[in-house]
């Protein structure tokens, strides 16, 4: 079986989907500014800003962050690099073998009359690639290329970088409303805000977190970090969330603003409906393989019992 079989493609899609749900909201409002430009500031300016920031209270920092979140600065194109990790919690300390990690590169280009996107995601040795051009989309595997619509594939990044960030980290304004502590520091040209939230309040603000809590896996802690350049554009975002059963983390950087180019969408050789059929065939084959692996033990046990008689 090929490494990137349809079965594994479906599994990876599910993992990625769960990754976006764990510890983040699916609000309809937009996050903070989703574009950035690199710029240089003198060391004296950085020192002065840090000195001034030291005098700010938490309320003043929160008010400043709310203002940044309320005034997004648009961009026509951007590249997003994302890394995620998830570690299942058990009775013993987790090892590297217990960690699920992924790396994904998203590209967004809204320079034309239709939004174009690409996504290349790798987990272990499995890679999935998606392209979209307006409402049309394709999934590229190591075999077929499947065509469909963005609605059929139903991935948040198809709606643009703001939708992706909101789905990934939740709405920044909602996070601020649940804040427990907030700090601000200057890292070179980037102003970095780090927030912790009150778990109970954050759970109550989010439908998915509420559902997870009801099923016995409540959020225990969550920390968010957002970096803005001097123009107020977001250039980085991170989160770390801990639940009863899992600890997960995500780190995102934004770059190549207004210079990102998305490659043309590959030509498909199969349809979305055929993908569903292929997926079912792979799942059926996997089920038979599992059953086959169990049968020898059962047969051996029956033979031994017969001989004993």
């Amino acid at each position: 079986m090929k490494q990137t079989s349809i079965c594994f493609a479906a599994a990876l899609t599910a993992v990625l989907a769960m990754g976006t749900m764990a510890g983040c909201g699916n609000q309809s409002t937009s996050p903070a500014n989703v574009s950035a430009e690199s710029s240089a500031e003198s060391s004296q300016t950085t020192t002065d800003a840090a000195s001034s920031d030291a005098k700010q209270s938490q309320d003043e920092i929160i008010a400043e962050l709310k203002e940044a979140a309320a005034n997004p600065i648009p961009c026509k194109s951007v590249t997003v690099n994302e890394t995620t990790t998830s570690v299942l919690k058990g009775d013993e300390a987790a090892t590297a073998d217990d960690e699920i990690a992924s790396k994904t590169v998203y590209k967004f280009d809204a320079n034309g009359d239709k939004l174009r996107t690409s996504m290349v995601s790798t987990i272990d040795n499995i890679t999935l690639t998606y392209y979209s051009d307006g409402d049309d989309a394709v999934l590229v595997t190591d075999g077929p290329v499947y065509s469909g619509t963005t609605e059929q594939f139903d991935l948040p990044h198809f709606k643009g970088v703001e939708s992706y960030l909101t789905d990934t980290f939740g709405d920044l304004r909602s996070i601020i409303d649940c804040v427990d502590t907030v700090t601000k520091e200057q890292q070179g040209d980037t102003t970095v805000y780090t927030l912790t939230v009150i778990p109970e309040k954050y759970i109550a603000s989010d439908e998915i977190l509420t559902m997870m809590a009801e099923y016995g896996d409540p959020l225990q802690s969550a920390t968010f970090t957002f970096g803005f350049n001097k123009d107020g554009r977001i250039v980085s975002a991170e989160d770390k969330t801990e639940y009863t059963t899992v600890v997960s983390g995500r780190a995102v950087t934004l770059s190549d603003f207004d210079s990102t180019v998305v490659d043309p969408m590959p030509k498909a050789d199969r349809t979305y409906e055929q993908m569903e059929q292929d997926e079912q065939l792979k799942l059926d084959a996997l089920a038979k393989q599992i059953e086959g692996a169990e049968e020898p033990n059962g047969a051996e046990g029956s033979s031994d019992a017969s001989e004993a008689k």
Side-chain angles (χ1 to χ4, degrees):
M1 182 183 295
K2 293 182 178 180
Q3 288 181 328
T4 314
S5 66
I6 300 304
C7 176
F8 285 118
L12 177 57
T13 301
V15 169
L16 293 174
M18 286 305 298
T20 62
M21 290 192 296
C24 56
N26 290 286
Q27 311 287 339
S28 60
T29 50
S30 298
N33 310 340
V34 295
S35 60
E37 296 173 350
S38 60
S39 58
E41 293 181 298
S42 68
S43 59
Q44 184 61 46
T45 300
T46 301
T47 302
D48 292 343
S51 176
S52 175
D53 293 342
K55 301 175 183 178
Q56 287 183 295
S57 67
Q58 283 214 152
D59 288 344
E60 290 172 329
I61 295 174
I62 290 172
E64 182 179 298
L65 189 52
K66 281 185 175 180
E67 183 177 358
N71 296 285
I73 301 174
C75 67
K76 286 294 186 180
S77 66
V78 63
T79 296
V80 178
N81 282 270
E82 173 194 271
T83 59
T84 71
T85 57
S86 295
V87 180
L88 294 176
K89 297 165 63 176
D91 296 332
E92 300 179 358
T95 66
D97 293 335
D98 300 316
E99 183 178 272
I100 299 173
S102 70
K103 293 184 178 181
T104 307
V105 178
Y106 299 89
K107 292 186 178 182
F108 303 86
D109 185 357
N111 281 296
D113 57 349
K114 295 184 295 185
L115 173 66
R116 300 172 62 229
T117 74
S118 67
M119 164 189 165
V120 181
S121 188
T122 301
I123 178 170
D124 291 332
N125 294 320
I126 304 168
T127 298
L128 289 181
T129 302
Y130 287 89
Y131 289 87
S132 73
D133 189 344
D135 294 330
D136 299 320
V138 297
L139 165 61
V140 181
T141 71
D142 63 351
V145 177
Y146 296 98
S147 65
T149 66
T150 55
E151 183 177 359
Q152 286 175 314
F153 287 113
D154 193 25
L155 295 175
H157 78 276
F158 287 144
K159 297 180 181 178
V161 64
E162 289 191 10
S163 176
Y164 156 77
L165 286 175
T166 301
D167 190 88
T168 301
F169 294 100
D171 178 59
L172 178 51
R173 285 164 287 188
S174 294
I175 295 172
I176 294 171
D177 289 339
C178 302
V179 70
D180 183 16
T181 64
V182 59
T183 61
K184 173 185 174 183
E185 62 177 322
Q186 199 70 28
Q187 297 180 1
D189 296 334
T190 304
T191 302
V192 179
Y193 301 87
T194 301
L195 307 88
T196 63
V197 298
I198 302 170
E200 296 78 12
K201 192 172 183 179
Y202 193 46
I203 289 172
S205 73
D206 185 273
E207 182 179 344
I208 292 176
L209 293 179
T210 299
M211 179 182 67
M212 292 177 66
E214 290 173 349
Y215 280 89
D217 194 18
L219 176 75
Q220 296 181 338
S221 66
T223 302
F224 299 87
T225 302
F226 298 98
F228 294 83
N229 72 353
K230 73 181 186 68
D231 297 319
R233 292 172 169 168
I234 191 166
V235 294
S236 63
E238 295 183 31
D239 68 7
K240 181 178 181 181
T241 52
E242 182 173 358
Y243 299 82
T244 303
T245 60
V246 66
V247 177
S248 62
R250 187 183 311 265
V252 163
T253 59
L254 295 88
S255 62
D256 297 334
F257 299 92
D258 295 323
S259 63
T260 293
V261 176
V262 176
D263 293 333
M265 190 164 63
K267 184 177 180 180
D269 49 28
R270 293 182 72 78
T271 66
Y272 183 86
E273 290 74 20
Q274 289 173 316
M275 182 194 77
E276 292 182 311
Q277 295 171 3
D278 291 349
E279 178 182 315
Q280 190 58 53
L281 290 173
K282 294 294 184 181
L283 292 173
D284 291 343
L286 180 61
K288 289 182 179 180
Q289 183 179 352
I290 293 173
E291 290 174 1
E294 295 175 348
E295 284 177 0
N297 293 331
E300 181 179 350
S302 299
S303 176
D304 290 344
S306 176
E307 291 176 2
K309 290 181 180 179

